Amino acid sequence: MTEGGAVLDIKLLPARHLFDDGVPVRMSKRAGTFVTLRDVATSRQGRLSLHHADRKNDQALDFDFAKVTEQSKDNPVFYVQYAHARAASAIRHAAEQLPAEALTDAALAQAPLDRLSDPLELAVIRLLAGLPRLVEGAAEAHEPHRIAFYLQEVAAQFHLLWTKGRDDSTLRFIIGGDPELTRARLALVRGVAS
């Protein structure tokens, strides 16, 4: 037990194998060559990586430094960041076309979400609404990978919605002549970005 009465629960994880562009990274205590946890955590990006949390605790991890910087949907960090960048771009684009008061948190909180009816929009709403329960379940089960999976699923659904809106102008985030639908879609976009 800790000082506040909480129980400290430590999970032992299987070995992690390190690679750099597919080549195993060899470590030697005698030669003094090793990779620190900080090297793995920042892995050429200067920030923590979803690569550490996208597997169950009982699964071995082959961590490739080169894969972390790959800009493709196979890299969960890039995939989630790209979805966030797209959402931020939509909000910036809306800010150029709409009055500032239309994009405040208060205005978007009052958006008529019942105007959203496309199956992809509804899928994103369901995912966003499930986050509190998901976080609670992940914490109780000691399974942080659930959060990484969730982020990847939100990103995937948002990318699908983005692409569908490019192909079908009625599904774009900003609909000229329909400020209520635009506000509802922007509230959805803000939810993804948050």
Side-chain angles (χ1 to χ4, degrees):
M1 285 217 170
T2 62
E3 187 176 307
V7 175
L8 177 62
D9 187 15
I10 298 172
K11 299 291 182 191
L12 299 176
L13 306 176
R16 298 327 200 202
H17 304 104
L18 302 178
F19 297 87
D20 195 0
D21 204 16
V23 178
V25 175
R26 302 283 182 216
M27 294 186 268
S28 167
K29 289 185 264 181
R30 185 177 301 168
T33 56
F34 55 89
V35 177
T36 67
L37 184 56
R38 180 175 301 197
D39 294 334
V40 174
T42 57
S43 58
R44 298 183 185 168
Q45 293 195 107
R47 57 190 164 275
L48 281 173
S49 165
L50 282 179
H51 287 276
H52 309 312
D54 71 347
R55 288 184 177 73
K56 292 183 177 182
N57 290 338
D58 60 355
Q59 290 182 329
L61 170 69
D62 291 340
F63 183 87
D64 192 326
F65 286 99
K67 290 282 185 189
V68 173
T69 56
E70 183 179 289
Q71 293 189 353
S72 76
K73 72 177 193 169
D74 296 331
N75 177 346
V77 175
F78 175 78
Y79 197 59
V80 170
Q81 287 175 335
Y82 191 47
H84 184 272
R86 280 182 157 177
S89 172
I91 297 291
R92 272 193 315 276
H93 189 64
E96 294 169 1
Q97 298 182 33
L98 304 171
E101 60 271 4
L103 297 175
T104 65
D105 289 342
L108 293 178
Q110 299 301 317
L113 297 180
D114 60 333
R115 294 287 311 274
L116 302 177
S117 59
D118 185 80
L120 285 175
E121 292 171 328
L122 299 176
V124 173
I125 290 170
R126 276 191 293 280
L127 282 169
L128 295 177
L131 179 61
R133 191 172 328 124
L134 177 107
V135 170
E136 183 179 341
E140 288 174 355
H142 304 281
E143 295 180 339
H145 67 277
R146 292 183 189 184
I147 307 295
F149 291 162
Y150 167 82
L151 293 173
Q152 291 174 64
E153 181 63 22
V154 170
Q157 292 298 314
F158 186 70
H159 286 306
L160 289 172
L161 183 58
W162 177 280
T163 301
K164 194 171 182 182
R166 278 188 29 220
D167 297 337
D168 180 352
S169 63
T170 64
L171 290 173
R172 296 206 171 132
F173 299 127
I174 301 170
I175 303 293
D178 195 340
E180 293 300 297
L181 181 56
T182 296
R183 198 159 50 105
R185 288 190 174 151
L186 292 174
L188 181 63
V189 171
R190 175 76 57 83
V192 169
S194 297

